[in-house]
Amino acid sequence: MNQRLFGIWLGEVLFCFSGEVSEARVDAWTAAVRKLTLEPGTRPFQHAALRLAEVRYPVSAGYGRAGASERKGLIGRTLEGLALPVQDTWEMLLNYDAGQLASQQIQAGGEFEFWSKAARFALELMLRGRISPGIRPRQMSGRRRTGQASAQSVWVPSLTDTEDEARFRQLAEAMPPICLAAVQLGTGQEEGSILNRQMGLLYSFLSAMIDYEVRRGYEQLGRGLNAARARYRRGYSPMAELWWNELLSSGDAPSNLQGPLAEIGQLIVDITETGGRPPSDQEEEPEGKSIGSFRLCLRIEPEEPQEDEANLIGGRAKPLPDAPFKSKGQSEQLWRLSFWAEGVEDPRVLLPAGLVWGYPQRDMEIHERQYKDVQQHLLLRLSKAAHIAPVIKEAMQGPCPESIILHPQQMYTFLSKSVSALRKQGVTVQMPTRWTKEGRRHVGVKLKAAGWSGGGEGGSTVDAPKLGIDKLISFEAQAILNDAPLSYEELVELSASKSSLVLFHGEWIEIDTKQIRQVLKFMKRQETGTMTFRELMHLSLDDDFDLHGIPIDAIEAEGMLSMLLAGNGSYMAGLADTPVPSALNGTLRPYQERGFRWLALMRQLGFGALLADDMGLGKTIQVISVLLEGLHSAAGPSLIVCPTSLLGNWQREFARFAPQMRLYVHHGSDRQHGEQFLEMCHEYDIVLTTYQLTGRDATEMREVPWSSIVLDEAQYIKNFGTKQAQSVMKLSSTHRIAMTGTPVENRLSELWSIFHFLNPGYLGSHASFRSRFTGSGERQNAELEKLRKLIAPFLLRRLKSDPDIRKDLPEKIELKSYCSLTAEQARLYQAVTDGLMERISSSEGIARKGLVLSSLTKLKQICDHPRLAGTRLRSSANGERSGKLDRLIELLDLIMDNKEAALIFTQYVQMGELLQEQLSARYGGVPFFLHGGVPKHDRDQMVHAFQEGQGSPLFVLSLRAGGVGLNLTRANHVIHFDRWWNPAVENQATDRVFRIGQQKNVEVHKLICQGTLEERIDELIERKKALSEQVVGSGEHWLTEMSNEELHHLIALQGGL
Amino acid sequence: MEHSSRNPALSQVELKLTAEGLRVTLPAQEVPEEAGQNRRVVLLPRLFFDQARQNLLDRLQQFPLQLAALDEEGAEAVADLLPRHFRQLHLNEEARKDPHAAMVRGSVCSCGQMGCAHISEALEGVEAAWSAVTAATRLEWLGWTAETLVHAVLDSWAAQMPMRDAEAELKRIAGRLDTPAYRSKQGELNLAEWLAEMVHNGRLHQPGPELHDVEINLSQAKLQVQADRLQAWTNLLPGVPGAAQGLSLILEQTGKNAEQLAKRFRAQKP
Ligand SMILES: [Zn+2]
């Protein structure tokens, strides 16, 4: 790809830039430019520093980008570029060759021709000894002491020779406008006429080049200069001697003369009097009118035999009578090359040569500018051009040269040989775009999405039963030419053109008239209109989409809509201002608050939202907050559907964060049906159920008008065909939330199903979706990129690894995962409890203690897995026998998806083995299992291998086995499969991953079987911790000290799960 | 205007262009009794040159490049358009057969005789002077300066253009432009607006046409360090005796280094 290279002199460096602002493009540009190699094998940009500069540069480099109103002034923009120091600037410009740059895919701006000529001018002056000591005032930096001034010694051009001064002035006049575009004080002259500024800048540039080159020579002179130096003594010698010595110093330390304003001022006067003052624009403007000048403009256009002569302004073409092409066949395309005088200071002034020749006076006045000796100027410009282009010379063989007719061969020669040389010399050439890089101009339509039709952003869900994606958006259409807006009048003007070549904004462009007429037709009909949000999104992303037969080139939106189109959830959240409900019993982390606001906003807009934050970031609390926030306006209950293993979690979280919300858990064999169910729904705010039961009780579920539906672990509906998925889709609600912690955007069918639930129809039919997005290859990648953009507005996924999120997270997050017992576990548990309570009253002393401890161990083992209790069932798979194991698997699925690693602690070797077996079956690769029986050598090897990233990212440990000093920082998850009664021991285990070398936030998961002694003990520990941080005793003996009643309370199975 | 030829043989013929024509003053005769009125003055009337004057104008109209060169470099640029011989100037129908005789017939001598020998002598002198003087002088004898001639050609071009009213035409074209935005009411230039206008017209990077005019000469140059300039610096630094010497050294060293760079540059560019 071609890179552009622009250059502006900033007083000390040549600031080179591309005009690009996107980071990626600037990076690509920097890489390309750094590689640029010039003739003597130098790479001028190799070590150039990146810097920012404020430059008045158009947003888009395209011509006519700005509309009439935006044209009033060019705003300074901060651009990143490379700062070329004087030495490299000097080398680069002396060796500058546009062709050489072009061969390295670098397109340099016309200003480089100028800078290069200026550098050669400096070289010539040095060659002839036309340089002089000089002085330059400095901007005082920092504290400004009044009455103090600062200056520096500098070598300057000596322009006392009138011929040199004239060339200096001409060169300054030729300075391209871009050179004056830096918004920077302190270089050149900031005030006065353009010419004055140009002169100031050129003088600064020449001085810098000369100063560098002169001081470079000091080294060769060596001691020869000693005799020339002044014996300066501070306080005794005149300031001039200090200036002189600084002029004669190598320049490593920049010269800095400081002194009283009067003294420095006098010194400046003395020195400039001696050396000659820099030229300036002395020309008095007659009666406040400025002087204008002309450049030659050449226009090429097709010569059509039946062309109406009247169309050409002042048009008399003068083909040479004996032009060789006259005899050629009709089919040959002829071209007219015509001559124009273009205002240098005001390029809108464009006069045909015929008018200039026919004008009876020498001077013209156009728009308060005086153009002197107009005919002579044009003549001079033409004759200079004739030296470059033979066809112009040919045209200059009779009075009043205005144009010449070219046959194709001449045309080809002119274009290939003369045009670039002419342009370098300041001639403008207007020609059909066919020969310009841009090619034929595209006329199209841009839509400005004005906002939601019918006022108000979205309105409330109550009066807008439609889902957000079907809401109407009003738009305004705008015709554009490439990227620039076209007014209706301009469009009409273009469409009226008989030829495909049109002069437009000072440029000769080629257009497709048919296309323009189509656009005009569209604009007549559809200047404003409405479309659904879905159409808008697809239009903005899909090339295949069109609006009433017209392809839409660009869509512009403001505020919320633009955020939606850009798909930037976090930003959108910033726009919404819904406050976190004060009733929430807890504090949201900053990113959770943003997530909450985003969810609230999505509800307001009527969009289904997919909250896909990483596990551990607290999706549940964000959803609870938004349900709580909507509580007062909710027309009915909200439904939460989750996997069975998460029922407990939800209950807990509601109890903790929003205890005032009435929660009905629709689960178990004693759940309500029919009328009773509907009644329950009326009484409660939230109905919590499982995917399974949503399928089983589909009829009842469908009857309730849910105010919100939340799907937790929404990947459960990935198989669209299953009964569960189908039932979920059929539920009715105007507000939908799906939650998942998996990287859902990479799982296409899952994604489609979830979106079909959230925003039905948005992604089209499943079949069309599949055929479009599945597969691979480049095209597919592009399609997937579109898909990503399409879903972006409805998807909020934050990763723990985002620095922005990470800073809000504690380094260690403790998460309790509640799980339920399976029926088998519950039965076993109950049996053990009953047995203990039955026998305990009859036991005492050691026997009682023994009974208690063995029963507690048995209960804990049952919570882990029935197999640990010594029972074996033949048919059922091990996985489905333990609610805790199920929960663990869900957790590990997420961890594995995120390519993270986990340590799993259990107290029971048998459980460890069972885990090893289960996990290797599910994830492949046998996890290490470190327990008391592993010899030291093997243990070290396991730890080493794990840390090196070899083998399974899962590591099972028995707590006792993990001695102090094990470093397992590869893992950032610690899962306590069963509870240790002493938190200190648990903490010690956690510390194996939470230590120096750990790069990630650590998550500690504690699996707790709900309604069992595990939960009770956890509460106990929490309570004690909260009271005094006094931790319960280290052993389990304190448990044996409990009364029978206390013990019963501790172990009795509670809750209906 | 007085013109004396540099040719010693003709040094005594004095030529002066007046409103009536070219006055040729012949040198004094050697005959003593005629000493009082020995300086004969011959007038070659303006009429003789009018035709040539017009001819030059007509011909130059056809050669815009030469017209430009005349404007830029002066009369030498049109030397080839001027008659080679003086006698070719007077070229009406009648004179074509015998230009010399026609000239003699048309001139007047201060001696009062028609067609006297003075006239032939004067014509001979003028003929010699014509080929000896510069093109500028020849132009002047025809009544032109480079500037008036350029203007005359341009005026004649203007007369040829079929423009009913150039002033109105200019107004029409200028009227299509919006009013210049980038000058405030005080007439001060607003750089931001000016730049915006340049962008709008696609001229942001375009150098001015003067870039074409500036010629850089990097051929080997004799470095001249002017003594008076050195003296000026010495005056500024009375306490630094080595200032002039040092300055001179620096200029020379810089010149040498520049020469090295220029050499490389010359080698690159054929
Ligand atoms: Zn006589």
Side-chain angles (χ1 to χ4, degrees):
Chain A
M1 200 189 95
N2 261 332
Q3 295 285 0
R4 295 180 302 177
L5 180 66
F6 304 139
I8 303 183
W9 179 246
L10 293 188
E12 273 152 5
V13 293
L14 188 70
F15 177 67
C16 296
F17 64 104
S18 63
E20 299 285 2
V21 283
S22 100
E23 206 172 312
R25 288 189 179 185
V26 172
D27 285 351
W29 175 83
T30 310
V33 168
R34 281 203 197 282
K35 275 189 243 147
L36 176 68
T37 312
L38 290 177
E39 193 52 74
T42 57
R43 290 187 169 189
F45 291 95
Q46 194 168 18
H47 303 295
L50 275 168
R51 72 164 274 179
L52 299 173
E54 202 183 343
V55 180
R56 296 185 195 280
Y57 196 81
V59 175
S60 148
Y63 80 102
R65 167 65 178 78
S69 62
E70 297 163 90
R71 237 202 284 161
K72 288 223 170 96
L74 209 52
I75 302 161
R77 296 194 306 141
T78 304
L79 296 176
E80 194 171 10
L82 291 171
L84 214 53
V86 173
Q87 178 181 352
D88 298 321
T89 303
W90 178 233
E91 277 287 321
M92 190 242 171
L93 292 176
L94 283 182
N95 294 301
Y96 176 76
D97 176 359
Q100 212 169 53
L101 265 67
S103 71
Q104 295 171 62
Q105 270 75 50
I106 290 178
Q107 213 67 49
E111 64 271 20
F112 276 93
E113 297 291 339
F114 167 80
W115 290 124
S116 160
K117 200 158 202 173
R120 278 181 283 145
F121 185 47
L123 184 62
E124 190 205 302
L125 291 172
M126 286 188 274
L127 212 50
R128 290 173 35 229
R130 307 303 302 187
I131 54 173
S132 166
I135 187 166
R136 176 168 59 204
R138 277 168 69 111
Q139 294 283 91
M140 290 279 270
S141 58
R143 297 162 283 123
R144 189 182 285 259
R145 273 200 287 157
T146 42
Q148 289 290 109
S150 166
Q152 70 187 116
S153 67
V154 62
W155 286 90
V156 297
S158 170
L159 301 164
T160 47
D161 187 302
T162 46
E163 205 251 335
D164 288 338
E165 192 193 332
R167 284 193 299 162
F168 173 83
R169 182 178 291 268
Q170 279 185 316
L171 203 51
E173 282 174 32
M175 182 182 284
I178 181 87
C179 301
L180 296 179
V183 183
Q184 191 192 251
L185 298 167
T187 55
Q189 276 164 303
E190 289 301 318
E191 274 146 39
S193 65
I194 295 174
L195 181 56
N196 244 341
R197 296 175 205 228
Q198 290 170 322
M199 284 178 152
L201 198 61
L202 179 59
Y203 195 80
S204 152
F205 173 81
L206 293 175
S207 303
M209 299 302 127
I210 290 169
D211 190 66
Y212 161 73
E213 186 60 30
V214 171
R215 291 187 202 253
R216 197 168 68 91
Y218 290 173
E219 211 174 299
Q220 289 143 299
L221 287 171
R223 286 197 202 153
L225 272 187
N226 285 352
R229 294 205 168 87
R231 288 158 202 263
Y232 176 77
R233 287 170 66 207
R234 189 169 293 277
Y236 296 93
S237 310
M239 178 74 84
E241 294 189 1
L242 181 59
W243 161 79
W244 175 252
N245 280 353
E246 289 193 356
L247 187 74
L248 264 52
S249 76
S250 67
D252 296 337
S255 158
N256 189 6
L257 298 156
Q258 290 194 9
L261 189 60
E263 200 179 341
I264 295 276
Q266 188 56 48
L267 184 64
I268 292 177
V269 170
D270 290 345
I271 291 168
T272 40
E273 287 301 322
T274 309
R277 61 181 62 247
S280 67
D281 180 16
Q282 299 296 344
E283 208 154 348
E284 279 300 309
E285 300 192 339
E287 296 146 32
K289 280 168 196 144
S290 41
I291 301 292
S293 56
F294 284 130
R295 71 165 88 239
L296 176 64
C297 169
L298 300 173
R299 180 183 292 180
I300 303 166
E301 52 203 312
E303 173 70 1
E304 281 162 40
Q306 60 277 69
E307 178 86 32
D308 186 358
E309 287 280 307
N311 277 353
L312 293 164
I313 303 158
R316 291 189 313 159
K318 294 228 178 94
L320 293 172
D322 55 349
F325 48 86
K326 270 223 150 170
S327 56
K328 299 217 168 158
Q330 282 284 2
S331 61
E332 200 175 63
Q333 173 70 63
L334 299 182
W335 301 91
R336 182 193 297 262
L337 174 67
S338 55
F339 309 144
W340 302 70
E342 180 188 303
V344 173
E345 295 79 7
D346 186 354
R348 298 171 304 170
V349 173
L350 190 62
L351 310 176
L355 174 61
V356 176
W357 303 140
Y359 195 72
Q361 274 117 52
R362 295 281 161 260
D363 300 346
M364 282 180 178
E365 194 189 311
I366 308 165
H367 282 300
E368 295 172 16
R369 240 180 248 281
Q370 282 234 310
Y371 297 81
K372 294 190 164 170
D373 299 320
V374 289
Q375 295 88 0
Q376 274 152 287
H377 259 107
L378 180 60
L379 186 65
L380 177 70
R381 300 267 76 98
L382 271 168
S383 94
K384 298 252 174 187
H387 291 302
I388 294 173
V391 287
I392 297 176
K393 196 169 182 180
E394 220 176 301
M396 304 267 289
Q397 293 189 8
C400 310
E402 285 178 87
S403 66
I404 182 172
I405 306 287
L406 305 180
H407 65 92
Q409 187 52 45
Q410 283 176 305
M411 179 69 171
Y412 175 77
T413 314
F414 178 69
L415 290 173
S416 56
K417 300 252 163 69
S418 308
V419 167
S420 71
L422 285 166
R423 283 190 166 150
K424 278 183 197 166
Q425 305 298 349
V427 176
T428 61
V429 182
Q430 296 177 341
M431 57 182 176
T433 26
R434 188 174 300 165
W435 296 292
T436 66
K437 300 240 157 44
E438 288 148 89
R440 180 183 277 202
R441 297 302 166 92
H442 169 79
V443 173
V445 174
K446 181 167 84 174
L447 291 187
K448 252 188 187 152
W452 309 94
S453 173
E457 294 221 320
S460 80
T461 40
V462 183
D463 5 304
K466 267 185 185 173
L467 281 177
I469 56 162
D470 289 322
K471 279 196 193 145
L472 292 177
I473 306 240
S474 53
F475 66 84
E476 277 170 36
Q478 157 90 70
I480 51 170
L481 179 68
N482 279 12
D483 289 330
L486 274 180
S487 72
Y488 189 78
E489 290 71 28
E490 287 169 326
L491 189 63
V492 170
E493 189 188 316
L494 285 177
S495 71
S497 163
K498 275 177 281 176
S499 145
S500 62
L501 289 163
V502 193
L503 182 71
F504 190 71
H505 284 299
E507 223 177 340
W508 199 243
I509 60 167
E510 189 184 15
I511 48 163
D512 179 344
T513 43
K514 206 174 124 193
Q515 190 183 48
I516 287 188
R517 275 171 215 142
Q518 257 180 332
V519 169
L520 181 64
K521 211 168 120 192
F522 175 87
M523 289 299 293
K524 275 182 184 160
R525 211 176 41 206
Q526 277 284 351
E527 203 160 351
T528 60
T530 57
M531 69 178 109
T532 66
F533 182 78
R534 185 207 330 250
E535 282 175 304
L536 181 69
M537 277 307 287
H538 282 276
L539 267 177
S540 74
L541 294 170
D542 271 6
D543 307 330
D544 309 337
F545 256 73
D546 57 30
L547 194 62
H548 309 294
I550 283 280
I552 303 298
D553 294 275
I555 293 184
E556 221 178 67
E558 283 177 352
M560 191 66 68
L561 268 181
S562 79
M563 295 294 178
L564 283 169
L565 286 175
N568 202 326
S570 303
Y571 273 121
M572 287 192 288
L575 285 184
D577 51 2
T578 319
V580 177
S582 54
L584 186 75
N585 187 23
T587 312
L588 297 178
R589 296 195 185 110
Y591 70 87
Q592 290 175 329
E593 199 175 321
R594 290 198 295 277
F596 155 75
R597 280 203 239 115
W598 178 75
L599 285 171
L601 177 67
M602 291 317 247
R603 179 172 59 199
Q604 257 175 48
L605 296 174
F607 293 136
L610 175 55
L611 184 61
D613 286 346
D614 251 358
M615 169 187 56
L617 291 184
K619 290 186 285 290
T620 312
I621 188 173
Q622 298 176 57
V623 170
I624 289 177
S625 304
V626 81
L627 292 177
L628 184 61
E629 198 271 334
L631 191 59
H632 60 279
S633 59
S638 293
L639 176 70
I640 298 172
V641 185
C642 67
T644 314
S645 59
L646 284 175
L647 287 172
N649 249 4
W650 276 102
Q651 270 181 296
R652 287 265 143 198
E653 301 280 84
F654 266 108
R656 185 169 155 205
F657 295 116
Q660 68 275 46
M661 290 185 92
R662 295 160 299 171
L663 180 70
Y664 162 55
V665 183
H666 183 69
H667 185 70
S669 48
D670 55 347
R671 64 185 189 275
Q672 303 293 330
H673 288 287
E675 279 305 310
Q676 282 93 343
F677 175 71
L678 293 178
E679 252 167 57
M680 291 299 271
C681 287
H682 277 296
E683 281 169 39
Y684 288 83
D685 300 316
I686 307 285
V687 174
L688 179 64
T689 191
T690 64
Y691 285 98
Q692 252 176 332
L693 293 185
T694 310
R696 211 173 290 165
D697 303 342
T699 333
E700 285 141 321
M701 294 281 185
R702 227 178 294 160
E703 276 174 49
V704 184
W706 304 104
S707 70
S708 301
I709 301 175
V710 178
L711 301 188
D712 192 7
E713 302 296 349
Q715 66 273 19
Y716 267 71
I717 60 164
K718 66 181 168 194
N719 293 323
F720 181 60
T722 61
K723 184 158 191 258
Q724 289 172 18
Q726 289 289 335
S727 319
V728 167
M729 301 292 174
K730 284 175 187 150
L731 298 174
S732 81
S733 172
T734 48
H735 174 225
R736 298 168 185 211
I737 295 175
M739 299 159 70
T740 179
T742 62
V744 70
E745 63 269 32
N746 297 330
R747 301 178 182 186
L748 290 177
S749 64
E750 205 170 301
L751 188 67
W752 184 87
S753 284
I754 294 174
F755 264 80
H756 194 68
F757 162 72
L758 289 173
N759 298 300
Y762 185 64
L763 295 182
S765 77
H766 193 231
S768 72
F769 180 84
R770 274 187 56 140
S771 72
R772 189 168 162 194
F773 296 111
T774 51
S776 57
E778 199 140 306
R779 212 189 91 80
Q780 222 52 45
N781 288 340
E783 288 291 315
L784 286 176
E785 189 48 42
K786 267 187 224 158
L787 175 63
R788 236 159 251 147
K789 286 185 178 153
L790 215 49
I791 61 168
F794 312 108
L795 173 69
L796 186 62
R797 173 162 172 77
R798 277 90 51 98
L799 304 177
K800 279 174 291 193
S801 51
D802 289 351
D804 211 34
I805 300 300
R806 213 180 147 178
K807 70 173 168 38
D808 290 344
L809 289 175
E811 287 173 314
K812 186 163 79 177
I813 311 165
E814 229 182 67
L815 300 161
K816 286 176 185 157
S817 278
Y818 292 90
C819 33
S820 40
L821 297 181
T822 60
E824 183 193 1
Q825 279 175 304
R827 204 168 52 243
L828 290 169
Y829 190 99
Q830 193 64 51
V832 172
T833 316
D834 292 349
L836 173 64
M837 292 326 289
E838 208 178 283
R839 282 153 61 197
I840 194 152
S841 39
S842 58
S843 340
E844 257 178 55
I846 301 256
R848 184 179 185 275
K849 283 184 183 173
L851 178 65
V852 169
L853 285 178
S854 73
S855 301
L856 289 180
T857 299
K858 220 171 230 163
L859 289 175
K860 280 164 71 183
Q861 287 176 325
I862 291 166
C863 288
D864 273 8
H865 199 283
R867 207 163 95 181
L868 271 61
T871 58
R872 272 180 195 281
L873 285 185
R874 292 153 309 275
S875 58
S876 184
N878 285 324
E880 286 161 32
R881 295 175 63 193
S882 161
K884 203 186 242 185
L885 186 56
D886 286 353
R887 182 77 194 104
L888 176 74
I889 300 273
E890 280 166 6
L891 200 58
L892 291 179
D893 281 355
L894 290 171
I895 290 169
M896 298 299 271
D897 272 342
N898 287 327
K899 308 247 179 305
E900 294 175 329
L903 305 186
I904 306 158
F905 285 97
T906 174
Q907 295 166 50
Y908 308 109
V909 173
Q910 205 190 344
M911 189 63 222
E913 285 163 350
L914 182 62
L915 284 173
Q916 226 181 346
E917 174 191 311
Q918 293 282 307
L919 301 184
S920 58
R922 187 168 180 90
Y923 303 112
V926 185
F928 293 123
F929 178 30
L930 198 158
H931 53 84
V934 178
K936 168 99 172 58
H937 173 261
D938 291 1
R939 175 186 300 208
D940 291 348
Q941 251 184 348
M942 282 182 190
V943 171
H944 182 75
F946 183 77
Q947 279 297 81
E948 292 300 303
Q950 295 161 14
S952 169
L954 304 176
F955 198 134
V956 183
L957 301 95
S958 103
L959 244 182
R960 282 176 206 280
V964 190
L966 283 183
N967 188 351
L968 292 165
T969 52
R970 177 186 171 192
N972 62 320
H973 292 268
V974 175
I975 302 171
H976 292 286
F977 192 75
D978 33 46
R979 298 304 304 273
W980 192 255
W981 303 135
N982 184 351
V985 181
E986 279 180 350
N987 289 344
Q988 195 190 14
T990 302
D991 286 345
R992 304 200 190 298
V993 300
F994 187 67
R995 57 170 70 205
I996 296 165
Q998 179 55 264
Q999 303 292 321
K1000 298 173 180 161
N1001 297 65
V1002 172
E1003 284 173 40
V1004 182
H1005 307 265
K1006 293 175 177 167
L1007 299 180
I1008 300 165
C1009 280
Q1010 213 168 4
T1012 70
L1013 84 164
E1014 286 192 329
E1015 191 182 11
R1016 238 61 50 71
I1017 289 176
D1018 183 62
E1019 284 166 1
L1020 202 72
I1021 292 172
E1022 289 295 327
R1023 204 157 51 230
K1024 296 223 170 189
K1025 256 204 313 203
L1027 279 176
S1028 62
E1029 282 292 320
Q1030 203 177 44
V1031 172
V1032 280
S1034 60
E1036 293 184 340
H1037 288 286
W1038 59 280
L1039 292 165
T1040 62
E1041 308 295 326
M1042 289 180 160
S1043 71
N1044 291 356
E1045 209 170 320
E1046 284 171 325
L1047 202 57
H1048 181 256
H1049 176 75
L1050 181 73
I1051 62 173
L1053 200 52
Q1054 294 178 352
L1057 298 176
Chain B
M1 264 175 245
E2 307 263 352
H3 294 279
S4 302
S5 165
R6 278 176 210 117
N7 185 334
L10 297 157
S11 61
Q12 280 143 325
V13 179
E14 284 171 22
L15 302 170
K16 192 176 185 191
L17 195 67
T18 68
E20 304 96 71
L22 191 63
R23 289 169 69 96
V24 186
T25 308
L26 296 171
Q29 299 294 307
E30 274 158 37
V31 185
E33 62 269 27
E34 288 184 7
Q37 25 177 237
N38 59 354
R39 294 174 72 85
R40 294 295 172 202
V41 179
V42 176
L43 180 74
L44 312 176
R46 199 135 213 159
L47 182 75
F48 281 9
F49 311 105
D50 277 354
Q51 190 65 42
R53 182 183 155 86
Q54 187 60 42
N55 284 351
L56 178 59
L57 180 62
D58 291 347
R59 288 198 65 196
L60 193 53
Q61 279 197 61
Q62 302 298 322
F63 301 111
L65 285 174
Q66 260 175 307
L67 182 64
L70 172 67
D71 193 21
E72 213 184 358
E73 295 150 27
E76 281 303 329
V78 293
D80 66 326
L81 294 181
L82 297 168
R84 200 163 300 157
H85 303 289
F86 178 74
R87 61 175 178 275
Q88 289 170 336
L89 255 63
H90 185 51
L91 285 176
N92 57 23
E93 275 307 303
E94 177 207 4
R96 206 156 279 167
K97 291 163 213 149
D98 186 353
H100 187 76
M103 274 191 167
V104 170
R105 267 201 306 281
S107 303
V108 186
C109 178
S110 59
C111 77
Q113 288 180 37
M114 291 282 284
C116 69
H118 300 122
I119 293 178
S120 291
E121 196 183 335
L123 281 172
E124 233 170 275
V126 171
E127 185 69 62
W130 180 262
S131 43
V133 297
T134 62
T137 309
R138 274 179 267 171
L139 212 53
E140 264 173 313
W141 288 4
L142 298 181
W144 295 120
T145 63
E147 199 188 358
T148 56
L149 181 53
V150 168
H151 284 179
V153 172
L154 291 174
D155 285 342
S156 126
W157 277 9
Q160 290 175 40
M161 293 303 289
M163 202 154 301
R164 284 179 302 278
D165 185 350
E167 196 63 60
E169 179 70 12
L170 179 63
K171 283 223 172 72
R172 191 177 70 79
I173 290 175
R176 285 198 303 218
L177 318 175
D178 347 309
T179 49
Y182 44 87
R183 286 172 72 90
S184 68
K185 285 197 183 84
Q186 290 76 35
E188 237 170 63
L189 175 114
N190 180 325
L191 190 64
E193 290 173 10
W194 180 70
L195 284 169
E197 195 57 45
M198 290 299 159
V199 169
H200 186 72
N201 289 282
R203 298 284 178 267
L204 192 59
H205 300 275
Q206 177 92 34
E210 299 84 358
L211 195 63
H212 201 167
D213 303 339
V214 179
E215 275 172 25
I216 308 295
N217 183 3
L218 292 180
S219 59
Q220 232 158 341
K222 183 93 179 76
L223 183 89
Q224 357 111 352
V225 180
Q226 293 136 307
D228 56 332
R229 283 176 61 210
L230 293 184
Q231 187 55 47
W233 292 109
T234 310
N235 295 344
L236 184 74
L237 297 158
V240 190
Q245 175 66 19
L247 204 51
S248 185
L249 273 173
I250 292 170
L251 292 187
E252 274 164 27
Q253 185 61 47
T254 305
K256 265 186 232 165
N257 290 346
E259 173 56 28
Q260 289 304 310
L261 286 171
K263 207 189 275 171
R264 198 172 84 192
F265 194 74
R266 269 178 240 138
Q268 281 168 29
K269 300 259 152 146

